[in-house]
Amino acid sequence: MQQHADQYIDGAWRPSLGDGVLEVVNPATEEVIATVPAGTAADVDAAVRAARAAARAWGATTREQRLVLLTRLCEELEAARTEIAGTISAELGSPISFATTVQAGLPITVARSYLPILAEYPFVEQVKNSTVLAEPAGVVGAITPWNYPLHQIVAKVVPALAAGCPVVLKPAEDTPLTARLFARAMHTAGFPVGVFNLVTGVGEVAGAALAEHPEVDLVSFTGSTAVGRAIAETAGRGIKRVALELGGKSANVVLPGADLARAVNVNLANVMANAGQTCSAWTRLLVHRDDYQEAVRLAVEAADKYVPGDPADPQTRLGPVVSAKQRERVRGYLRSAVEQGARIVVGGPEAPAGRSLGYYVRPTVLADVTPEMTVAQEEIFGPVLSILAYHDEEHALEIANGTVYGLAGGVWAADRETAVAFARRMDTGQVDINGGRYNPLAPFGGYKASGVGRELGRHGLAEYLQPKSLQF
Ligand code: NAD
């Protein structure tokens, strides 16, 4: 078992200032595989001071200097790809094939995507008699969740560094080992001391201390809406900028005449990926009432292909959820669905056959779900799809927009124009048209309670800049 007692602060691994410990549990075996320090407010303070001390010099580097270091970071991450995938598989339970291609591969792609963006970004603009400089926003506090441990870190830290901001990272309790590998890559890449700092710890202690710290200028948070609200309140009191990537309850809308079989199969793949622990997952499938029975049949057939299995096996497509707490949460939602009149057509709250050890949940499809049911309103974060019927396009739109969230979505139609016209009326930050491919350069973020701000691509870099106007 790995036992770590240090935090990465001011360019070195230093003993944590508290003696609390976080246990990292492998969700497939329920074994403790490592411990990391539960950082205190004093650790956070040391990290923020180091970042503050580095801020002016880092903010004054040229884009070329930052490009050299960020290129090295990409190389370090690439070199560690197998180790990162294995670590994420062990601490999150991600199937190793998914961990390799998506959990490790995607953030490397995202990190690399910032090289040309940084190379070309217009940091100076002329507006009549003003020269407008895009300056770094200052010290960034980044608080990340466990569901895509490296991606969430890279999506914040890389654009922040590209913008010239130093960062203090507080990763999720369940997945700190990936964050430590990222810190190692930053160290080996040779960033100046204090530019990147890592404090592992509990959200209510280390996370709260970071969000509150007066020397933090911008808090970028990804996680639950409840915690996001608390962070926004704290940041508001301190007049700090805040970026929030929160939950979702995204709708996949299949309009009459669309390729129903493809839409349902893609939806199942979307919702089963990462055991359903994806904030942008299409957790609500909306189909016309005339297509409903066929959609349910197709969904059951597709769900049967997702057999819960050992994450270490390259054939496994569905692993456990991250923790016992998360499994209980998912099971609770399934029970509430039945109580409120939904029908489990495949799956259910019981443990999958032969999987009594590990935090496994059966891939589940709920039929006869109506818009006001809890499972149609709240984020479940498990391998669960709810199928809802609509009677016409307006009704479909009302259901699609009828939650507090607005993060992602899908529309399928017989032609692109019909799908686009519908997508334009959806209150959500992203919509995939007829199964459009994921684009790591497209702005990602939410309408309504799904968040504030955008990550990825040029929009992600702009989050970490502030304008200064010089008049001539
Ligand atoms: P969470 O909100 O409990 O935790 C997220 C992070 O916030 C963790 O690092 C945690 O330690 C920290 N935290 C907790 N309480 C805190 C506090 N009081 N002050 C400061 N920091 C605190 O969420 P989670 O359970 O880790 O992740 C699941 C949730 O995150 C889901 O609701 C999911 O939708 C959401 N999520 C959203 C996105 C997105 O991009 N929109 C991505 C991933 C996850």
Side-chain angles (χ1 to χ4, degrees), residues 204-255:
E204 293 78 1
V205 179
L210 185 58
E212 271 166 22
H213 201 292
E215 290 293 330
V216 170
D217 299 297
L218 186 158
V219 183
S220 180
F221 168 81
T222 298
S224 60
T225 299
V227 175
R229 183 172 285 119
I231 285 180
E233 283 170 5
T234 305
R237 276 197 300 277
I239 324 285
K240 296 180 201 311
R241 278 170 65 182
V242 67
L244 304 171
E245 298 288 348
L246 308 175
K249 192 72 208 178
S250 297
N252 182 31
V253 183
V254 188
L255 295 175

Side-chain angles (χ1 to χ4, degrees), residues 143-148 152 170-174 201-209 211 221-225 227-228 230-231 244-248 277-280 325-326 329 379 381 405 407 444 450 455:
I143 303 175
T144 55
W146 44 262
N147 62 342
Y148 287 86
Q152 308 288 8
K170 206 304 281 175
E173 290 87 327
D174 292 306
V202 174
E204 293 78 1
V205 179
F221 168 81
T222 298
S224 60
T225 299
V227 175
I231 285 180
L244 304 171
E245 298 288 348
L246 308 175
Q277 302 163 118
T278 304
C279 45
S280 55
K325 184 177 137 205
Q326 190 64 19
R329 185 182 136 109
E379 191 167 48
F381 242 49
Y405 294 116
L407 189 55
F444 179 84
S450 288
E455 293 194 317

